[in-house]
């Protein structure tokens, strides 16, 4: 009996040592990701400072950036969870850390997710903005430069030890767009003509990142936010297949679906999507309605089974 207990003790001890070693290994993997420096081939982008360019820049910034960077784009703690930590998004006004940035610095950060010192921007969705056309990027940067300066501070993110371990183990997905993107691809990005067309709808979908939460096939996926419900099925096989355009627009305006579900804007960014122009929303809806219908993904089906 004593011998058996002794062996059980040894096995538990070995397991504990292995788990602790693995935790430190994943944490150091996270640290080395965080310390990586990236070299980018940054293309020349012309600023669009005329009134049409500024108006388009404002539409893009309010629809795409305010959800994380705050209504006045002066930064905020957009993620705050006891077990994971606090993530601040930067103050993007001329009073923040970008005050002295050149256009090139903005292009490097927005299209490639890299700071002027070569460090990667974390969580910032450059995978999506990598698709943004040269013209739209020129509008967006011109608009950001025109914002009233705010001196709201932009402190670095603070992660708990557990969150660093989880990040190193890849549980949050690709944290740094820069480690996934082709940073040497400085080719010009064209945009389809603005209009209620499938091509423009696909473009709007790509720069607003629906797939990062709804999955490559749009049939539901885990959100990159670890405390969020999964993104729903937005192919015609999901609820949206029964909606007309007005119901879609109303859902994006109020966050409440025709089926009566109230969506938290922290998890489903309808409060940003609603600020897209009418043509953008119509093209987006047209694009979604023309997707091949797909059954719920396994992740979504499992979540629904557990939560119904
Ligand atoms: C999903 C949330 C999210 C969205 C949406 C987002 N950002 Fe960010 N952004 C961040 C976070 C978080 C950081 C800070 C990253 C870090 O500290 O590594 C950041 C950093 C930046 C920086 C670098 C500032 C600095 O000095 O560190 C720029 C520039 C920027 N964002 C521009 C934009 C623009 C322009 C948009 C809209 C087109 C946008 N962001 C949309 C989360 C977001
Ligand atoms: C940051 C993650 C995220 C992004 C980006 C995102 N969504 Fe969502 N979306 C969600 C989540 C999470 C839900 C489910 C919310 C819930 O269950 O309360 C959802 C739900 C929805 C629903 C309701 C589905 C239903 O059947 O009730 C629609 C429609 C929708 N999203 C459309 C879009 C479109 C279109 C885009 C791109 C323009 C988009 N979403 C981008 C996370 C996201």
């Amino acid at each position: 009996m004593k011998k058996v207990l002794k062996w059980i003790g040894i096995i538990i001890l070995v397991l504990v040592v292995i788990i602790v070693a693995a935790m430190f290994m994943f944490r150091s993997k996270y640290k080395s990701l965080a310390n990586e420096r990236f070299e980018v081939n940054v293309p020349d982008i012309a600023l669009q400072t005329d009134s049409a360019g500024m108006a388009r820049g404002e539409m893009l910034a309010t629809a795409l950036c305010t959800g994380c960077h705050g209504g006045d784009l002066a930064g905020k703690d957009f993620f705050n969870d006891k077990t994971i930590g606090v993530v601040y998004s930067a103050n993007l006004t001329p009073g923040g850390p970008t005050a002295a940035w050149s256009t090139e610095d903005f292009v490097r950060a927005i299209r490639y997710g890299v700071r002027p010192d070569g460090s990667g921007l974390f969580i910032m969705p450059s995978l999506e903005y990598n698709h943004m056309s040269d013209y739209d990027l020129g509008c967006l940067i011109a608009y950001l430069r025109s914002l009233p300066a705010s001196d709201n501070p932009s402190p670095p993110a603070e992660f708990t030890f557990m969150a660093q371990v989880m990040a190193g183990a890849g549980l949050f997905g690709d944290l740094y767009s820069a480690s996934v993107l082709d940073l040497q691809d400085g080719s010009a990005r064209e945009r389809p003509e603005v209009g209620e067309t499938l091509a423009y709808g696909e473009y709007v979908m790509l720069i607003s990142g629906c797939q990062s939460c709804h999955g490559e096939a749009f049939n539901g996926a885990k959100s990159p936010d670890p405390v969020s419900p999964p993104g729903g099925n937005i192919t015609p096989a999901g609820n949206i297949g029964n909606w007309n355009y007005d119901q879609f627009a109303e859902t994006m305006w109020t966050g409440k679906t025709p089926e009566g579900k109230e969506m938290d804007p922290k998890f489903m960014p309808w409060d940003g999507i609603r600020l897209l122009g009418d043509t953008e929303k119509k093209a987006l809806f047209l694009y979604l309605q023309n997707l091949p219908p797909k059954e719920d993904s396994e992740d979504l089906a499992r979540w629904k089974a557990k939560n119904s």
Side-chain angles (χ1 to χ4, degrees), residues 60-61 63-69 73 78 87-92 96-98 101 105-106 109-110 114-116 119-125 128-129 132 137 140-141 144 154-157 176 207:
L60 292 168
L64 301 178
C65 320
T66 53
C68 294
H69 286 277
L73 294 164
F78 85 99
V87 179
Y88 303 91
S89 56
N91 175 352
L92 300 181
T98 61
W101 283 21
D105 292 335
F106 275 98
I110 300 170
V114 177
R115 280 202 192 79
S119 58
L121 290 168
F122 164 84
I123 302 181
M124 165 68 191
E128 283 124 46
Y129 306 148
M132 193 180 284
L137 194 51
L140 180 61
I141 299 170
L144 293 177
S154 305
Y176 294 92
I207 62 172

Side-chain angles (χ1 to χ4, degrees), residues 192-193 195-206 283 286-287:
E193 209 177 307
E196 291 170 33
T197 62
L198 285 177
Y200 188 55
E202 180 179 29
Y203 175 77
V204 173
M205 180 281 293
L206 285 172
L286 180 72
Y287 176 80

Side-chain angles (χ1 to χ4, degrees), residues 29 58 121 256:
K29 194 169 161 216
E58 177 173 13
L121 290 168
K256 194 166 168 194

Side-chain angles (χ1 to χ4, degrees), residues 208-210 213-214 228-231 234 239 243 261 263 267-269 288:
S208 35
C210 316
C213 303
H214 291 277
S228 166
I234 54 171
N239 292 327
W243 305 354
K261 181 167 73 183
M263 300 189 285
F267 301 141
M268 162 62 196
L288 295 174

Side-chain angles (χ1 to χ4, degrees), residues 64 128 204-214 218 221-225 228-235 238-241 243 248 251-252 255 257-259 261-270 273 276 284-285 288 300 303-304:
L64 301 178
E128 283 124 46
V204 173
M205 180 281 293
L206 285 172
I207 62 172
S208 35
C210 316
Q211 284 166 304
S212 62
C213 303
H214 291 277
F218 304 92
K222 281 196 187 114
S223 163
D225 184 331
S228 166
N233 183 346
I234 54 171
T235 76
N239 292 327
I240 194 175
W243 305 354
F248 172 72
T251 301
M252 293 303 138
T257 70
E259 293 75 29
K261 181 167 73 183
E262 296 200 30
M263 300 189 285
D264 187 334
K266 275 206 309 270
F267 301 141
M268 162 62 196
W270 52 267
I273 297 169
L276 288 166
L284 180 61
F285 186 65
L288 295 174
L300 180 59
W303 187 86
K304 280 186 180 170

